[in-house]
Amino acid sequence: MLPSLESDIKKVTFAQIKQLLGEKQGVVIAHYYVHPDIQDLADETGGYVGDSLGMARFGSHHASPLLIVAGVKFMGETAKILSPHKTVLVPTLAADCSLDFSCPEEEFRQFCRKHSARTVVVYANTSAKIKALADWVVTSSNALAIVSYLHRRGESILWASDRYLGSYIQRETGADMLLWPGSCIVHDRFRAQGIMQLKNLYPAAAVLVHPESPMEVIELADVVGSTSQLIAAASDMPNELFIVATERGVLHKMQQISPGKQFIIAPTGGSAVCKSCAKCPWMAMNTLQGIENSLMIGREEILLSDRIIERAFIPLERMLKFCE
Ligand code: 13P
Ligand code: SF4
């Protein structure tokens, strides 16, 4: 069979990016939600593909002076805070996150002031300025363990920014948590009714749910976890069919790791254009072309003030130490 034009273009682009990475001593750090080609590029060039916690860890440990972060802006900011001496480039600074938009700095500062007796725990999906106001940063991989620990120490918590993840943790730990009302526009759309219909059709399927989803969806889950925890569950569980309630980009790694298994994206409601969009519009702004441009012209760069870096480093480092 003749190779397609698309795969020829991909090969040429990969070769060009590999050369640029070599020349500039750069490394690509990608999230599971970005296009499969970018995930393959990171894998094939000694970079990293993972969840937000893994990306943070990899960036801070890797020797390269240039990190190309393919994900959303807060992931680039986290890399910069943890490695201020490195250059951190992103294909576009426009790739943001609805959880970041949901939590404006000044309003959040007032909220913290009003409840100053509480320990401030913020989700990684927030801006550097919000992290700079926090006592702890958490990701979906470790939020449960960190809040359980704080609860055991008798601390009451002020939580931002994902309200569904917050209420899930509150339910699991019994902690006293005051929740900021943010949400993810992708996970917010998964619907319990659609998942139940699928379960009726495929009773042997296991349901995997990211905890940014609504509580009634979480309640249907066989496994609730971060993107990497869901990918591991798909490989470890004996089931051959999975209904997956998270962004559709994860299916690429799930299929690579568990080639004999089948995955269906959970249905989302309320869209005129698709039954299950499950696509993050900001993650989709990452392209191979964008990565190549970043490397060629040195843009767009994550720049943060020293004050924000110093302050936001404290809760981020606390999280990484906790998980060692
Ligand atoms: P993870 O921490 O699981 O990678 O999730 C990040 C995210 O943006 C989920 O929507
Ligand atoms: Fe943010 Fe949701 Fe996109 Fe994740 S999927 S980056 S939480 S908007």
Side-chain angles (χ1 to χ4, degrees), residues 18-59:
K18 274 182 196 166
Q19 191 179 337
L20 285 165
L21 285 171
E23 283 166 16
K24 315 230 165 180
Q25 298 176 59
V27 68
V28 176
I29 305 174
H31 191 266
Y32 291 123
Y33 293 168
V34 296
H35 192 283
D37 288 351
I38 300 178
Q39 298 188 41
D40 293 346
L41 173 80
D43 277 337
E44 285 179 30
T45 53
Y48 179 81
V49 185
D51 68 2
S52 54
L53 177 64
M55 291 170 78
R57 275 206 191 108
F58 183 89

Side-chain angles (χ1 to χ4, degrees), residues 31-33 50-55 72 74-75 97 99 123-125 138-141 184 186-187 210-212 225-230 246-247 280 283:
H31 191 266
Y32 291 123
Y33 293 168
D51 68 2
S52 54
L53 177 64
M55 291 170 78
V72 290
F74 80 81
M75 294 168 178
C97 167
L99 286 167
Y123 194 29
N125 298 40
V138 298
T139 76
S140 51
S141 295
C184 159
V186 178
H187 292 83
H210 194 283
E212 287 170 15
S226 73
T227 44
S228 51
Q229 289 163 345
L230 299 183
T246 191
E247 215 266 7
C280 175
M283 288 283 183

Side-chain angles (χ1 to χ4, degrees), residues 179-196:
L179 307 181
W180 183 265
S183 64
C184 159
I185 57 158
V186 178
H187 292 83
D188 197 15
R189 308 232 54 98
F190 290 116
R191 291 290 171 266
Q193 197 192 2
I195 296 176
M196 280 183 311

Side-chain angles (χ1 to χ4, degrees), residues 1 44 67 91 96 109 157 169 219 261 269:
M1 204 172 64
E44 285 179 30
L67 310 178
D96 213 312
R109 189 194 303 280
I157 286 151
I169 291 166
E219 264 155 20
K261 299 189 177 183

Side-chain angles (χ1 to χ4, degrees), residues 209-223:
V209 176
H210 194 283
E212 287 170 15
S213 308
M215 191 51 92
E216 60 276 16
V217 171
I218 291 179
E219 264 155 20
L220 297 173
D222 293 294
V223 175

